[in-house]
Amino acid sequence: MENSFEALIATYIENKVGISEHFLSATLANNLKQNLLTLNQDSLLMAAGIGNSEKLSYDGAIRSDSIYWLDKKHNNAFENEFFAQIEAFILYLNQSCYAGITGYEFHYSLYESGDFYLKHLDQFKNNPSRKYSMISYLNSNWKESDGGELLIHQLNNNQKISPTQGKTVFFKSDELVHEVLVTQNTRMSITGWLKSD
């Protein structure tokens, strides 16, 4: 597990974008994906908004995915396993990089064919608590023709990242503008933020 943690941190230091190809085990990724599909089948996902609770709006011309917030109160075994891994990573990050992370929040994210999310930053203007963004992908057998890449905008160095299963991406929430390109297939992830309140 520490190898995947170190991969995230080392690649982040090198390029401002941390990537671990196998942050999630195949078993955990499959279980989380099945959980997300069941939630969607039960119509429990909701349209994703823009902004936070103090200033929330919905605009399908900016983002068109659906989400479901993870919560320990759900007492879902697979989500709890994911939380345990995130907490272990936070401990590792705080000890090795003095990051000062004190909390986190995550949601499932589902993009159907044709969905997208235009360029944006992850930190709110009225609340700077989000320090790092993390996205873990749940898409097996993803092909280039499926689209749906995460496009991170950096000066002279835009980076396009395919949403392949098990991969996790990590970057500062207030630093990098990014977008989700139009997907041609059902695209699933767990997206969230490491916070310092």
Side-chain angles (χ1 to χ4, degrees):
M1 194 181 292
E2 282 195 1
N3 286 344
S4 63
F5 294 173
E6 192 53 44
L8 274 185
I9 293 169
T11 49
Y12 166 76
I13 290 170
E14 182 181 337
N15 191 39
K16 296 188 176 181
V17 181
I19 299 177
S20 171
E21 295 290 341
H22 305 289
F23 185 85
L24 298 183
S25 69
T27 301
L28 180 55
N30 282 325
N31 286 332
L32 290 166
K33 175 169 58 182
Q34 192 54 54
N35 201 40
L36 172 51
L37 290 170
T38 300
L39 290 164
N40 188 46
Q41 194 172 15
D42 293 342
S43 302
L44 292 173
L45 274 68
M46 57 186 178
I50 302 155
N52 59 8
S53 56
E54 296 171 33
K55 193 178 180 183
L56 184 64
S57 63
Y58 297 89
D59 188 342
I62 295 175
R63 72 180 297 188
S64 51
D65 58 316
S66 301
I67 65 169
Y68 180 90
W69 287 97
L70 278 65
D71 194 317
K72 284 188 175 179
K73 293 176 186 172
H74 299 155
N75 203 26
N76 179 280
F78 308 126
E79 292 175 16
N80 287 344
E81 186 180 345
F82 174 79
F83 287 143
Q85 186 152 341
I86 291 297
E87 287 165 7
F89 175 65
I90 288 171
L91 183 63
Y92 189 88
L93 181 68
N94 283 343
Q95 288 178 343
S96 60
C97 301
Y98 308 102
I101 300 302
T102 56
Y104 56 83
E105 58 184 4
F106 283 89
H107 61 66
Y108 289 116
S109 186
L110 178 72
Y111 289 74
E112 301 285 10
S113 182
D115 285 347
F116 58 89
Y117 191 172
L118 298 184
K119 288 199 289 189
H120 63 283
L121 272 177
D122 278 351
Q123 194 177 85
F124 302 123
K125 291 177 181 175
N126 62 351
N127 184 344
S129 64
R130 289 179 174 179
K131 300 305 180 188
Y132 294 95
S133 302
M134 287 188 76
I135 309 154
S136 295
Y137 295 111
L138 308 174
N139 309 295
S140 53
N141 304 313
W142 197 261
K143 306 184 298 295
E144 189 175 346
S145 60
D146 291 330
E149 296 95 344
L150 176 69
L151 179 59
I152 296 180
H153 295 266
Q154 295 199 62
L155 192 63
N156 304 320
N157 186 29
N158 289 350
Q159 190 170 356
K160 194 185 284 188
I161 299 167
S162 61
T164 52
Q165 180 163 297
K167 180 187 293 178
T168 291
V169 181
F170 170 78
F171 54 91
K172 282 195 78 175
S173 300
D174 66 347
E175 192 169 66
L176 297 181
V177 171
H178 55 286
E179 62 184 302
V180 176
L181 301 180
V182 176
T183 184
Q184 306 300 331
N185 206 339
T186 301
R187 177 192 189 275
M188 294 168 283
S189 66
I190 294 181
T191 299
W193 301 272
L194 307 186
K195 303 175 73 175
S196 179
D197 294 314

